[in-house]
Amino acid sequence: MRFLSGRIVALSAALALVAATPAVAATETPVHLEGRLPSGAAWVMDVPADWNGTVLLFSHGYREAGSPNPAQNAPTEEAGAAALEQGYALIGSSYATTGWAVEQAVPDQLSTLDEFTERFGPARRTIAWGQSYGGLVTTTIAERQPGRIDGSVAMCGLVHGGVANWNSTLDAAYAARTLLAPDAQVPLAGFPDQEAATRAAETMAGAVNTAQATPQGRARIALAAALHNIPGHNDPSQPEPGEHDWAGQQRNQYQALSRFFRTAMNWRQEAESRAGGNMSWNTGVDYARMLSRSPYATEVEALYQDAGLSLSGDLEQLANGPRISADPGAVDYMTRNVAFTGRLDKPQLDLHTTGDGLVPVQVTRAHRDAVEQAGSSRLLRQSYVDRAGHCTFTTGEQMAALHAVEQRIDTGAWGDTGPAAMNARAEAADPGHDHAFADHQPSPYPRPFDLARFAR
């Protein structure tokens, strides 16, 4: 991505400048560089004239297989421009492939950091930051390559790890198939190709759309959504329902669930092709207990009562349905690449919106629990933005998270990371916008297993 186009110099001139003068002189004018790693990944770097010595290593989100794959070094153009204005250098790669590129992303990002160091010398400090799938990449770097960075920020990230992610996705898909399409014989895993995954996704989306027309179907959609913790307000374009507006909350969950199966099936198939099989399971899962831990249990109970439907009967169906076992080799692949122990050596801040329907906010609770079990709590902070949507942060909120981590790096203490202090940081960085840091305590992560034991 190109930021501050008026300040960009031509690539040839920039290379000549770097070759001819010491590293510090390369920042006397803004520098924009692009290149390619031996892996095939593209990289991009922007260094402002007044570089402050900190480099921000950005990890981008998921890109579907076959989609365009440009290098990216900031979450948005606005955030990139703000960071450059404050003197940060921005770098990032495309990763060598699209899709669930768990093996390629981390080495490509670290190689991009090497490319930067070769051109500009060692940074005074390096902060890794990333959003969505890139939050998973960032957290992997933080856990497994802590010597390469000084701190990290995972924004709307899959901080529960890859094993947990695919298990949680399986839960909602299993409930929807069992209750809404019991005779369709739709596979939930083990897809041979994208064509099979697409057929399954279209069948399930059709079943959800049909179910929405009846009170019984709407109640069952709410149950499937609750097992994935899809919130009742998950898109900024939706009207925000009242606290007890069960029908309004369910409509919003339905919209998210109707789009869910592309992730649950097409994205899964691509990940399975890398892992060599199915990397998730629901053997031994107690769905009644899982529902009881969901913040949407009361909504589900009310909708079932209004529909004259037996919730216990449907939970019994889930309990007795055919379960899915994982392929051990595929679990091992995912574990080796992106399962988290919670062990941190450098400070990390997790930033999440409360109304995220794609990566529900409970993933941060999973990360916090793992970090506590690993004895690394002093290095983790988590901040929440009271807003619907996935990665719907203001520029100021993103900069506030970076500045909080910087303070921890510089002083050895977090200082105040409460909502008022974070909103003040956001306003200072990005005046005049509706910043919305708020107190929030996510409910327990629904999956009943310890993340750390899969990554030892």
Side-chain angles (χ1 to χ4, degrees):
M1 297 180 67
R2 292 178 178 266
F3 299 106
L4 301 183
S5 58
R7 300 172 64 190
I8 292 172
V9 299
L11 176 60
S12 57
L15 289 173
L17 178 64
V18 172
T21 58
V24 68
T27 61
E28 291 178 356
T29 57
V31 177
H32 175 86
L33 298 177
E34 298 181 20
R36 197 164 291 275
L37 299 172
S39 69
W43 55 256
V44 61
M45 302 176 187
D46 284 285
V47 183
D50 53 350
W51 180 35
N52 63 18
T54 296
V55 61
L56 304 180
L57 176 63
F58 179 72
S59 296
H60 68 72
Y62 183 84
R63 293 172 181 166
E64 292 193 60
S67 63
N69 192 30
Q72 184 175 343
N73 63 5
T76 64
E77 281 227 22
E78 292 77 14
L84 287 172
E85 190 68 27
Q86 293 185 26
Y88 298 99
L90 307 178
I91 67 174
S93 78
S94 64
Y95 321 148
T97 66
T98 52
W100 193 261
V102 292
E103 284 185 287
Q104 294 81 18
V106 170
D108 284 342
Q109 288 292 84
L110 296 179
S111 293
T112 300
L113 184 57
D114 291 338
E115 293 280 347
F116 178 86
T117 302
E118 182 179 334
R119 286 162 173 76
F120 299 99
R124 182 165 59 90
R125 62 187 167 201
T126 300
I127 299 177
W129 62 331
Q131 66 178 10
S132 193
Y133 174 83
L136 176 118
V137 175
T138 294
T139 305
T140 304
I141 292 171
E143 276 211 358
R144 304 189 180 194
Q145 298 288 337
R148 302 299 307 275
I149 63 172
D150 298 288
S152 50
V153 178
M155 301 177 289
C156 49
L158 284 71
V159 292
H160 52 332
V163 175
N165 174 73
W166 291 112
N167 273 333
S168 183
T169 302
L170 178 63
D171 291 328
Y174 170 77
R177 183 189 69 176
T178 301
L179 300 177
L180 304 178
D183 301 320
Q185 298 184 331
V186 178
L188 301 180
F191 300 103
D193 50 39
Q194 278 290 302
E195 184 178 348
T198 297
R199 285 197 302 270
E202 289 175 349
T203 298
M204 287 310 307
V208 168
N209 291 336
T210 298
Q212 185 66 12
T214 69
Q216 294 79 15
R218 291 192 289 273
R220 287 169 168 152
I221 288 170
L223 173 55
L227 294 177
H228 194 54
N229 278 332
I230 296 173
H233 186 215
N234 55 73
D235 186 324
S237 67
Q238 298 168 336
E240 183 172 5
E243 183 180 357
H244 301 296
D245 180 4
W246 311 128
Q249 293 178 28
Q250 191 279 337
R251 280 193 300 273
N252 292 343
Q253 290 170 323
Y254 153 69
Q255 291 177 25
L257 194 66
S258 66
R259 300 187 295 266
F260 166 79
F261 297 101
R262 184 162 188 83
T263 300
M265 291 163 175
N266 292 90
W267 295 10
R268 170 185 285 278
Q269 189 279 330
E270 196 277 336
E272 287 181 344
S273 71
R274 294 172 179 270
N278 171 33
M279 56 280 177
S280 58
W281 66 94
N282 69 347
T283 51
V285 174
D286 183 342
Y287 284 106
R289 182 172 183 271
M290 186 180 293
L291 177 64
S292 73
R293 292 159 61 87
S294 171
Y296 310 108
T298 302
E299 173 211 345
V300 172
E301 291 165 359
L303 290 169
Y304 266 79
Q305 184 174 357
D306 289 347
L309 195 60
S310 170
L311 177 56
S312 61
D314 275 1
L315 289 171
E316 186 173 350
Q317 272 191 267
L318 296 182
N320 296 330
R323 298 304 181 96
I324 295 167
S325 299
D327 298 321
V331 176
D332 180 66
Y333 172 89
M334 200 62 64
T335 297
R336 282 185 285 106
N337 285 287
V338 284
F340 298 140
T341 65
R343 292 191 289 271
L344 294 174
D345 290 331
K346 302 291 175 61
Q348 175 159 323
L349 188 144
D350 296 338
L351 179 65
H352 223 92
T353 54
T354 58
D356 193 330
L358 184 62
V359 184
V361 68
Q362 284 77 15
V363 303
T364 62
R365 176 67 179 269
H367 192 212
R368 185 177 73 192
D369 290 348
V371 168
E372 287 177 352
Q373 291 167 16
S376 301
S377 295
R378 71 191 186 285
L379 292 170
L380 180 70
R381 285 293 182 274
Q382 295 180 320
S383 292
Y384 300 97
V385 171
D386 186 16
R387 186 176 297 119
H390 180 56
C391 305
T392 52
F393 305 112
T394 65
T395 293
E397 289 158 357
Q398 293 167 329
M399 297 307 297
L402 282 171
H403 293 161
V405 169
E406 278 188 304
Q407 177 174 330
R408 178 63 174 79
I409 294 168
D410 288 343
T411 69
W414 281 103
D416 189 352
T417 56
M422 294 297 283
N423 281 322
R425 281 191 174 111
E427 179 64 19
D430 182 26
H433 290 83
D434 185 18
H435 309 298
F437 284 100
D439 284 317
H440 183 75
Q441 289 296 326
S443 59
Y445 184 70
R447 264 299 196 155
F449 66 80
D450 175 5
L451 299 182
R453 72 185 177 94
F454 293 104
R456 287 177 183 152

